[in-house]
Amino acid sequence: MNAGSLNVNSLNVNSMKTRAVFTRFCIMQAAYWSFYAALPAYITAYMLSCGMSATTLGYLLAVNLFCALGGSLFWGRWIDVHHASRRFFLFGNFFACTLGIALFCFAHQPVILFIAYPLFGFMSGPIATTLDAWVIAAFPERADAVSRSRSFATIGFAFVMLLMGQLIVKIGYQAMPFAALFFMAVNLITALFQPEAPFTEDDGISPRPDPRNLLSSRLYVLLAASVFFTGMCIAPINNLKVLIFENVGGNVAYLGWDNFLGCLVQIPFLMFAGKLRFIKAEKRLLAGSFAAMFYALFVLAAQSPGMIIAGTMMNNISFGLLFPTMREMTERFVPPTLRNTAHSMIDVAYGSFSGMIASAWGGRMLEISGTASMCTICMCMELIAIILAFFLILSCTIKRPQRLWRKYKMNI
């Protein structure tokens, strides 16, 4: 056997290993988000069915998201320092599953909920970000790897949300913990066979990257601010959607269809995110912001469940554009040694922090003034996000000619 055939065989083995690693990432994405659809996604509806008021739920969600914010920042930095994506993913999922089952078992006891739900947020908040950053680190040469793997998360979430909505209507909420345990078992078993994420070696000379340095990047701060206000727009509607459906004659089964149909719209944007890169990232950010504005507008005008579902489709178009764009721009604006921290802060801005603030007033506003007032405020928040996206476009447009001019002078 000559050297050429040895090289070919080596390439084939490496290619097979790469495919196996990517396949496991896809399974982990699908299994984790299926777990989320089976239990956490319906737990608020279950709490409301147990007699909890919208105002109390809003406060509970705010505390949960505050802890998710803290957990994302704490664990993101811990993973960057210790290079421990796999370790955190394993024990984070185990504790999140345990706390999720506890939430279901003690849903009638508010005191326990106000302890367990924040802890659940602290452990589960960073899990999705950790998995995405793990994929990026494992496939640095594939720009679309994270969005392609995340499309399997969307598929799993969509089908399980639909299935659980139908099961809950037919046999009750008791189906939730059994389904959650099954999907989490698949997730953890698959993760056991996945290698740790590659990391950038410390040269021993350069100072350890400080997370505070992220604030010195104006483009990164503008990105975080824009997605924060988008999160402020969509969070109240997402968190209280079961009540919004009930106000127009729907029930919890519509929540399953809502997520299923919305996710079907989202999947192509994630699967073909690489093909959409011919559109500049800043413009995709703006387009995603406009789609979120239409989400609030559709819900504001809704007189039937179908109109709310149409709005959800717009929201999923928004996420399908924003998710790969946020990951791409973050990788562009920050060093790899702060990868988990930077992605965590963006996800906190889009999800936990914005959701915490929005949840604190969303439930109360819905009870006092109704859906129309809440959606009007949401649209104002999204208008700020759109303005910030315009500023980001201008900043990037101005920065490029400056770089070209410096390069031109150096050549002279």
Side-chain angles (χ1 to χ4, degrees):
M1 187 179 289
N2 57 33
S5 62
L6 280 172
N7 288 337
V8 170
N9 289 336
S10 176
L11 285 172
N12 288 336
V13 170
N14 288 336
S15 178
M16 289 172 61
K17 287 182 178 178
T18 300
R19 282 199 296 269
V21 169
F22 185 72
T23 299
R24 285 194 291 270
F25 275 129
C26 293
I27 293 170
M28 289 157 63
Q29 291 274 19
Y32 172 72
W33 284 102
S34 295
F35 156 77
Y36 200 92
L39 199 152
Y42 279 103
I43 198 67
T44 53
Y46 181 51
M47 291 173 186
L48 290 168
S49 74
C50 294
M52 183 177 288
S53 69
T55 300
T56 303
L57 178 61
Y59 294 145
L60 182 60
L61 285 169
V63 177
N64 165 266
L65 292 168
F66 175 77
C67 290
L69 181 159
S72 294
L73 299 179
F74 174 82
W75 290 115
R77 183 60 183 149
W78 185 84
I79 292 165
D80 280 332
V81 170
H82 297 283
H83 313 298
S85 298
R86 183 174 179 272
R87 269 186 288 162
F88 170 75
F89 190 80
L90 286 167
F91 72 71
N93 272 287
F94 175 79
F95 282 108
C97 183
T98 303
L99 290 165
I101 301 299
L103 287 172
F104 179 84
C105 295
F106 297 101
H108 294 273
Q109 301 183 35
V111 174
I112 295 179
L113 290 179
F114 271 91
I115 297 171
Y117 207 30
L119 287 174
F120 176 80
F122 186 79
M123 294 307 302
S124 67
I127 288 174
T129 308
T130 300
L131 183 52
D132 292 339
W134 191 357
V135 176
I136 292 170
F139 297 95
E141 74 289 348
R142 286 184 58 179
D144 64 340
V146 67
S147 55
R148 276 184 168 272
S149 68
R150 192 63 177 260
S151 67
F152 286 86
T154 304
I155 293 169
F157 185 83
F159 281 95
V160 176
M161 279 295 293
L162 178 62
L163 175 65
M164 292 305 299
Q166 304 303 310
L167 282 176
I168 289 168
V169 169
K170 290 181 179 178
I171 66 174
Y173 286 97
Q174 61 266 28
M176 291 165 52
F178 297 102
L181 284 169
F182 170 76
F183 291 119
M184 184 53 73
V186 173
N187 185 28
L188 291 173
I189 291 169
T190 307
L192 285 171
F193 294 94
Q194 197 72 319
E196 181 58 270
F199 59 90
T200 303
E201 291 283 357
D202 187 357
D203 59 12
I205 301 171
S206 303
R208 177 173 284 182
D210 188 340
R212 289 174 295 183
N213 293 340
L214 295 174
L215 301 177
S216 65
S217 171
R218 183 179 60 176
L219 298 179
Y220 178 78
V221 171
L222 277 173
L223 171 65
S226 179
V227 299
F228 166 74
F229 282 103
T230 294
M232 286 283 285
C233 169
I234 66 176
I237 303 172
N238 287 344
N239 291 338
L240 300 167
K241 192 173 285 184
V242 67
L243 294 177
I244 296 172
F245 268 121
E246 289 173 357
N247 289 340
V248 292
N251 58 26
V252 71
Y254 281 94
L255 192 62
W257 279 106
D258 176 80
N259 281 274
F260 175 74
L261 295 173
C263 288
L264 289 184
V265 173
Q266 183 188 119
I267 290 167
F269 288 91
L270 297 177
M271 287 292 292
F272 302 106
K275 306 289 186 184
L276 291 174
R277 285 200 167 203
F278 73 92
I279 304 172
K280 290 177 181 175
E282 307 87 71
K283 293 182 179 179
R284 280 181 269 135
L285 178 71
L286 182 63
S289 301
F290 271 111
M293 174 71 84
F294 279 104
Y295 176 38
L297 183 61
F298 273 65
V299 177
L300 173 65
Q303 300 294 320
S304 66
M307 196 73 168
I308 297 172
I309 292 172
T312 298
M313 291 180 178
M314 294 304 301
N315 184 42
N316 279 268
I317 290 173
S318 172
F319 183 79
L321 289 168
L322 289 179
F323 173 75
T325 302
M326 291 189 298
R327 295 290 184 252
E328 175 188 339
M329 295 178 83
T330 301
E331 288 289 312
R332 201 169 81 200
F333 297 154
V334 303
T337 47
L338 284 172
R339 172 176 282 132
N340 282 279
T341 306
H343 286 301
S344 293
M345 288 183 71
I346 289 294
D347 286 355
V348 160
Y350 181 72
S352 305
F353 188 41
S354 57
M356 175 188 71
I357 297 172
S359 296
W361 62 264
R364 188 65 176 162
M365 177 65 69
L366 187 67
E367 284 188 337
I368 294 173
S369 303
T371 304
S373 297
M374 187 182 78
C375 288
T376 302
I377 296 174
C378 291
M379 291 173 68
C380 292
M381 296 295 104
E382 191 56 45
L383 181 60
I384 298 173
I386 289 169
I387 293 169
L388 289 167
F390 269 117
F391 272 116
L392 185 55
I393 290 174
L394 289 173
S395 297
C396 292
T397 304
I398 292 168
K399 231 176 165 175
R400 285 191 191 103
Q402 286 177 342
R403 286 198 298 269
L404 289 172
W405 174 245
R406 282 198 295 269
K407 192 179 290 185
Y408 171 72
K409 287 200 298 184
M410 286 174 65
N411 290 334
I412 292 175

